[in-house]
């Protein structure tokens, strides 16, 4: 949701900024821009569309030689995606330039105030208000102070980087609610919305906290709070490697991330499954051991795919640990006056660890006295830092906008948490042992599913011109149906609905006409017989049945038009395996329809606005 980057050092800034923007492009790709100070002039170059458009604009100009600069890739909120609304924005004097990720909520009031002072605005953005306000408050040599005074007046969220022509050897950065990391190199700093834009330059970073401002020059950095108190920040080492964020031999990040799920899950479970003792070891939450064992209620929260994983988490926690659990959309939780009784634990699930809705909900839960846990992939992210304890996914960075390996990682972690908690409550060592053994086999089962990729592609291509699809499952496979439908719609723009298979007859069955693709997750398990009846109901109305079934199931093959087989897996762990053919279907449908798989329209990877 917008990516920002800044560089100050002794190298040419432009290539570093452009390279960084490309790494951040998954955060938004509506427009891009760069600002540097060149021969005593503030130069701003920006363009609507992808970063390649910005590159083309830069190529038509004399080479920018400056060793300082800021840049931005935009996911539009206020104002349509055009050249004028693209960042960087500048103040009326043209001496200050700013890039921003977040939303200035009181921008209308501030704009009115500034217009009253005679300032004319060029764009429709909330960001220009902040640039103009800083310019309005600026006194010579006092950039940091002007930024501080402006931010005190701002409501909303921001990660910003600011340049000033009159202080040409300085970048001022600040954050509240939007991520910002400072990479510390030898006599240089690279500040960015996330580590992917930093890792090729340095592995040493400083995580800026909410309400902090940092002033960077070539001699060093100084961090203060909004009320001007000095803060000393620790330099930390990144866990990320460059190789993890490269495509390798794959065509798309989504494809890479689907196919690396066996490895990702091995990494996720490494050292956490103790076969000999039939227990799960989760270092990140042991400090809350007693508190969680006595928890009376668990609320799981997330958005989108993370919410689907949370729904599976609810089933797992109730099944294995017999704790009342419920799932909340993070975006709804905060605004509906939730009841948090004594003994409530809240689990925030997020790949990025920066999703604004999830962050706001966890803060609300914390405020109301809940113990707050995180199930997060991005190490050091805001959600990871603000929770009382948590379990990292360790599935490696996820760059494709459609979440795949993070989903299976989230489900694997929730299964481990449920077994861990179950053993402290109702789960017998024998039952735990079976589950742990089965969990350990999941990576090889996914490997087996991935060998059917070509068959899945052929079937998908036959149906990818159909505009309405249904995804149906029951029990543990109902959230998988939701996830399958979300994957299809977000990257191939096909309308798809996921629902519990039994719900279909209460209305949605009216959507079935001749040739409507209906994807059933019909694996053997508790509700197998019922799902088979639901398949019959759709078939008799002319729907095309695509079934995900347990290997060797000839009965489903007789009913379905196409079957994708998956290895036999116990019910509670089936989502880890049954989701994989659905991820592949979405991927191949998007490819066949010529869609941009990794950068679907209107979306951004990390949603840092509410
Ligand atoms: C869908 C997808 C989104 C995210 C959601 C939450 O493929 O990626 O629905 O799952 O925006 O993001 P995180 O997990 O980063 O909080």
């Amino acid at each position: 949701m917008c990516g920002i980057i800044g560089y100050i050092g002794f190298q040419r800034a432009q290539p570093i900024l452009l390279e960084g923007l490309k790494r951040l492009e998954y955060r938004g790709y509506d427009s891009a821009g760069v600002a540097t100070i060149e021969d005593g002039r503030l130069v701003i170059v920006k363009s609507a569309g992808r970063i390649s458009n910005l590159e083309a604009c830069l190529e038509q100009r004399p080479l920018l030689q400056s060793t300082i600069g800021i840049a931005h890739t935009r996911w539009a909120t206020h104002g349509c995606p055009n050249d004028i609304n693209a960042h960087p924005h500048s103040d009326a004097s043209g001496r200050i330039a700013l890039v921003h990720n977040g939303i200035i909520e009181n921008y209308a009031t501030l704009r009115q105030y500034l217009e009253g002072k005679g300032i004319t605005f060029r764009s429709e953005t909330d960001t220009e208000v902040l640039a103009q306000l800083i310019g309005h408050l600026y006194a010579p040599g006092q950039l940091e102070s002007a930024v501080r005074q402006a931010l005190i007046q701002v409501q909303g969220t921001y990660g910003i980087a600011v340049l000033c022509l009159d202080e040409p050897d300085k970048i001022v950065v600040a954050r509240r609610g939007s991520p910002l990391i400072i990479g510390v190199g030898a006599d240089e700093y690279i500040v960015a919305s996330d580590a992917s834009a930093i890792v090729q330059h340095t592995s040493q970073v400083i995580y800026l906290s909410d309400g902090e401002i940092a002033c960077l020059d070539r001699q060093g950095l100084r961090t203060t709070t909004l009320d001007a108190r000095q803060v000393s920040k620790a330099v930390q080492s990144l866990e990320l490697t460059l190789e993890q964020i490269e495509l390798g031999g794959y065509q798309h990040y989504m494809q890479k991330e689907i196919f690396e799920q066996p490895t990702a899950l091995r990494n996720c479970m490494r050292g956490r499954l103790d076969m000999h003792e039939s227990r799960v070891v989760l270092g990140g939450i042991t400090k809350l051991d007693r508190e969680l064992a006595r928890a009376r209620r668990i609320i799981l929260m997330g958005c989108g795919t993370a919410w689907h994983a949370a729904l599976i988490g609810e089933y797992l926690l109730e099944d294995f640990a017999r704790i009342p659990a419920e799932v909340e959309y993070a975006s709804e939780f905060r605004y509906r006056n939730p009841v948090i009784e004594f003994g409530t634990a809240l689990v925030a699930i997020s790949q990025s660890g920066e999703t604004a809705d999830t962050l706001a909900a966890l803060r609300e839960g914390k405020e109301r006295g809940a113990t707050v846990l995180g199930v997060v992939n991005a190490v050091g992210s805001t959600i990871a830092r603000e929770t009382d304890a948590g379990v990292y996914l360790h599935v490696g960075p996820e760059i494709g906008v459609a979440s795949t390996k993070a989903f299976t990682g989230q489900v694997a972690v929730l299964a481990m948490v449920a077994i861990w908690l179950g053993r402290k409550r109702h789960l017998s060592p024998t039952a735990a042992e079976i589950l742990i053994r089965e969990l350990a086999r999941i990576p090889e089962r996914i490997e087996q599913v991935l060998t059917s990729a070509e068959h899945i592609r052929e079937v998908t291509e036959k149906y990818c011109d159909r505009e309405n699809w249904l995804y149906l499952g029951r029990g543990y496979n109902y959230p998988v149906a939701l996830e399958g439908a979300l994957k299809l719609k977000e990257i191939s723009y096909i309308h798809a609905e996921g629902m519990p298979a039994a719900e279909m007859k209460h209305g949605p069955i009216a959507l079935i006409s001749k040739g409507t693709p209906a994807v059933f997750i019909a694996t053997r398990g508790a509700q197998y017989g019922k799902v088979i009846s639901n398949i019959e109901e759709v078939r008799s109305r002319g729907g095309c049945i695509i079934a995900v079934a347990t290997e060797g199931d000839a009965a489903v093959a007789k009913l379905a038009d196409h079957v994708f087989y998956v290895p036999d897996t116990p019910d509670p762990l089936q989502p880890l395996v049954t989701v994989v053919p659905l991820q592949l279907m979405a991927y191949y449908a998007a490819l066949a329809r010529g869609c941009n798989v990794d950068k679907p329209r209107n979306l951004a990877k990390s949603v840092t606005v509410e």
Side-chain angles (χ1 to χ4, degrees):
M1 189 114 318
C2 294
I4 69 171
I5 179 160
Y7 174 80
I8 177 163
F10 293 92
Q11 303 183 58
R12 255 187 81 221
Q14 182 188 315
I16 295 172
L17 295 174
L18 281 176
E19 183 58 43
L21 280 187
K22 286 180 197 160
R23 301 248 182 239
L24 295 173
E25 197 175 17
Y26 72 90
R27 299 178 66 88
Y29 27 86
D30 288 331
S31 64
V34 56
T36 64
I37 295 172
E38 198 80 12
D39 297 330
R41 284 178 311 122
L42 184 67
V43 178
I44 297 179
V45 183
K46 50 193 193 174
S47 166
R50 298 276 153 94
I51 289 157
S52 49
N53 294 5
L54 172 67
E55 272 181 308
C57 292
L58 285 165
E59 272 161 25
Q60 286 160 18
R61 306 173 48 94
L63 221 55
L64 296 174
Q65 298 293 351
S66 175
T67 55
I68 185 169
I70 56 175
H72 187 270
T73 181
R74 178 170 188 241
W75 185 82
T77 58
H78 298 55
C80 60
N82 60 21
D83 289 358
I84 293 173
N85 290 330
H87 300 214
H89 287 283
S90 60
D91 73 324
S93 74
R95 305 184 83 74
I96 284 168
L98 173 142
V99 289
H100 168 222
N101 166 208
I103 287 186
I104 307 300
E105 285 167 7
N106 59 339
Y107 81 100
T109 320
L110 292 171
R111 183 171 173 143
Q112 207 176 13
Y113 164 77
L114 292 165
E115 280 172 341
K117 298 278 174 197
I119 292 172
T120 307
F121 281 76
R122 290 174 286 259
S123 78
E124 305 154 86
T125 64
D126 53 332
T127 301
E128 189 188 347
V129 170
L130 188 51
Q132 296 280 16
L133 185 60
I134 294 170
H136 176 65
L137 297 166
Y138 183 71
Q142 302 293 319
L143 178 63
E144 192 184 336
S145 159
V147 171
R148 175 173 288 106
Q149 286 174 57
L151 293 180
I152 287 169
Q153 298 183 42
V154 153
Q155 285 158 16
T157 55
Y158 52 79
I160 56 165
V162 190
L163 272 189
C164 176
L165 184 58
D166 301 326
E167 299 175 48
D169 299 309
K170 186 186 283 179
I171 299 180
V172 177
V173 300
R175 70 159 281 189
R176 181 165 75 200
S178 301
L180 209 59
I181 304 175
I182 302 170
V184 182
D187 301 322
E188 60 181 1
Y189 294 103
I190 303 143
V191 53
S193 300
D194 79 42
S196 63
I198 294 176
V199 66
Q200 78 191 95
H201 303 284
T202 175
S203 62
Q204 300 300 292
V205 295
I206 291 171
Y207 293 98
L208 211 61
S209 298
D210 270 356
E212 289 178 351
I213 300 178
C215 188
L216 318 172
D217 61 31
R218 291 181 185 82
Q219 279 69 52
L221 124 174
R222 199 164 50 90
T223 311
T224 50
T225 56
L226 270 190
D227 52 4
R229 275 178 298 113
Q230 194 109 1
V231 224
S232 78
K233 302 291 293 181
V235 177
Q236 301 182 31
S237 288
L238 277 181
E239 283 191 11
L240 192 71
T241 64
L242 191 56
E243 194 194 7
Q244 286 177 309
I245 55 170
E246 308 260 74
L247 267 176
Y250 292 95
Q251 226 186 323
H252 300 102
Y253 282 107
M254 182 182 182
Q255 181 193 25
K256 177 183 182 226
E257 287 154 10
I258 292 172
F259 280 87
E260 72 188 10
Q261 286 178 109
T263 312
L265 288 186
R266 284 189 184 104
N267 291 340
C268 169
M269 295 190 280
R270 181 164 299 123
R272 290 169 165 175
L273 303 180
D274 181 344
M275 306 281 194
H276 301 295
E277 301 286 328
S278 305
R279 61 187 188 120
V280 167
V281 183
L282 295 171
I285 51 175
T286 35
K287 68 173 182 188
L288 295 178
D289 207 317
R290 289 163 67 83
E291 201 172 329
L292 290 173
R294 288 189 205 137
R296 293 186 186 166
R297 182 168 159 242
I298 295 187
I299 302 175
L300 300 117
M301 294 180 325
C303 302
T305 288
W307 187 88
H308 299 155
L311 191 53
I312 297 169
E314 174 191 303
Y315 294 10
L316 289 164
L317 285 164
E318 296 204 339
D319 224 359
F320 299 174
R322 312 298 305 146
I323 300 185
E326 63 206 68
V327 183
E328 292 268 2
Y329 283 108
S331 54
E332 289 295 315
F333 176 81
R334 182 185 176 194
Y335 294 103
R336 63 164 194 77
N337 198 12
V339 177
I340 305 282
E341 304 128 329
F342 177 75
T344 302
L346 216 142
V347 184
I349 303 169
S350 174
Q351 188 287 126
S352 61
E354 302 293 349
T355 300
D357 286 322
T358 312
L359 187 57
L362 93 81
R363 284 176 179 159
E364 184 64 31
K366 215 169 168 178
E367 182 76 24
R368 290 173 186 241
T371 302
V372 183
L373 306 180
V375 171
V376 170
N377 193 34
V379 176
S381 55
T382 311
I383 293 178
R385 284 183 287 132
E386 292 204 11
T387 39
D388 299 315
V391 184
Y392 278 122
L393 304 186
H394 290 314
V395 295
E398 189 180 69
I399 294 171
V401 165
S403 192
T404 52
K405 65 175 179 173
F407 174 77
T408 43
Q410 286 157 351
V411 175
V413 164
L414 290 166
M416 290 190 282
V417 171
I419 299 171
W420 180 83
L421 218 47
R423 284 295 293 116
K424 296 181 189 308
R425 294 165 65 100
H426 301 277
L427 197 67
S428 72
T430 321
E433 189 189 331
I434 295 169
L435 286 167
I436 289 170
R437 206 173 322 118
E438 291 291 341
L439 250 183
R441 284 189 191 140
I442 294 294
E444 76 197 56
R445 291 194 169 134
I446 296 179
E447 264 155 7
Q448 204 176 320
V449 177
L450 291 170
T451 61
S452 319
E454 223 20 67
H455 172 52
I456 295 171
R457 177 208 281 268
E458 283 162 19
V459 172
T460 307
E461 284 175 356
K462 282 197 179 111
Y463 293 93
C464 68
D465 60 340
R466 315 283 161 93
E467 295 301 331
N468 285 298
W469 292 49
L470 289 181
Y471 282 74
L472 302 139
R474 296 176 82 129
Y476 279 100
N477 280 319
Y478 152 52
V480 176
L482 297 178
E483 177 59 7
L486 175 60
K487 286 294 88 101
L488 189 72
K489 51 190 159 191
E490 70 180 325
I491 57 166
S492 60
Y493 321 138
I494 295 172
H495 174 248
E497 271 195 57
M499 69 195 76
E503 273 300 299
M504 192 187 51
K505 58 185 174 291
H506 299 289
I509 198 162
L511 292 170
I512 304 282
S513 60
K514 197 166 162 37
T516 306
V519 181
F520 275 90
I521 303 122
T523 39
R524 282 212 193 95
Q527 308 202 43
Y528 174 73
K530 298 254 187 312
V531 178
I532 295 294
S533 307
N534 299 140
I535 292 181
E536 296 274 18
E537 288 154 16
V538 173
R539 206 167 94 101
S540 62
R541 285 160 179 86
C544 285
I545 312 292
I546 300 170
V548 175
T550 309
E551 60 189 350
D553 186 341
V556 171
K558 281 195 192 125
L559 289 177
D561 296 270
H562 309 278
V563 184
F564 303 142
Y565 284 115
V566 297
D568 199 6
T569 309
D571 267 1
L573 305 182
Q574 275 184 9
L576 290 163
V577 178
T578 53
V579 76
V580 178
L582 309 189
Q583 296 169 338
L584 286 168
M585 283 178 80
Y587 173 69
Y588 292 128
L591 271 191
R593 289 165 69 99
C595 302
N596 187 330
V597 175
D598 284 332
K599 298 189 183 80
R601 71 182 179 207
N602 305 339
L603 288 173
K605 180 73 182 158
S606 179
V607 186
T608 53
V609 292
E610 276 188 67

